Amino acid sequence: MMVLRLLKIPKSTYFDWVHYTESHRQREDAILKALLREIWQNNYKAYGVPRLRLALADLNLHHGTNRVRRLMREAGIYSVMSRRFNKPTITVDYRQHPNLIKHLPEEAHAWSMDITYLKLSNGQGTLMDFSHY
């Protein structure tokens, strides 16, 4: 007990440490971490929280998303997959009109117009933009 006094550690802290036992939840978490790591490695490290939860459910182990996420973070498990980027398309379902101006010779003059409708507080306003090609 002299050492505790020199280190300024309360006796209760020492005795808590000596008589420490893991709780049921901590034991369960340790088993789940090992199981999650095994499932993750067997599936090319591609599984994230949703798929790992489904894999646990297949083993009749039903746990919440937040618990699985916490255990994954503690175990250093993460999915190596990332979401695919879908480039926005400019395709439309209706038939497009051909661009007749693009094929005109250089010396030809053409006007084009763009109409933009702006919603105003007193109704609807219109803005017209004329361009000379």
Side-chain angles (χ1 to χ4, degrees):
M1 296 302 156
M2 179 73 94
V3 175
L4 293 177
R5 209 172 313 130
L6 287 173
L7 294 174
K8 296 182 180 176
I9 297 175
K11 281 190 227 175
S12 61
T13 303
Y14 170 73
F15 285 111
D16 285 345
W17 176 73
V18 169
H19 300 295
Y20 174 77
T21 57
E22 256 188 343
S23 69
H24 176 70
R25 179 78 169 202
Q26 288 171 326
R27 284 191 300 271
E28 195 176 82
D29 281 351
I31 294 166
L32 276 173
K33 278 185 209 177
L35 187 59
L36 287 172
R37 180 170 291 285
E38 183 182 333
I39 293 168
W40 176 68
Q41 287 177 336
N42 290 340
N43 290 289
Y44 309 101
K45 300 180 180 180
Y47 277 16
V49 175
R51 285 185 180 166
L52 283 174
R53 272 192 71 218
L54 289 174
L56 287 175
D58 289 344
L59 299 172
N60 209 21
L61 298 169
H62 303 282
H63 297 286
T65 305
N66 290 337
R67 185 174 187 188
V68 173
R69 183 174 286 120
R70 176 181 56 83
L71 293 173
M72 284 177 64
R73 190 180 329 112
E74 289 173 6
I77 298 172
Y78 58 92
S79 175
V80 294
M81 299 291 289
S82 61
R83 286 192 184 269
R84 289 191 181 121
F85 173 73
N86 291 332
K87 184 178 177 184
T89 60
I90 54 170
T91 58
V92 289
D93 295 336
Y94 53 87
R95 195 171 152 266
Q96 296 268 324
H97 294 290
N99 185 353
L100 302 174
I101 296 175
K102 182 167 70 174
H103 304 292
L104 288 176
E106 285 288 324
E107 53 277 348
H109 298 287
W111 287 84
S112 72
M113 181 175 74
D114 179 38
I115 301 174
T116 305
Y117 294 98
L118 300 173
K119 181 123 176 141
L120 300 176
S121 60
N122 60 351
Q124 196 169 5
T126 305
L127 177 69
M128 293 189 189
D129 176 31
F130 293 97
S131 301
H132 182 269
Y133 289 97

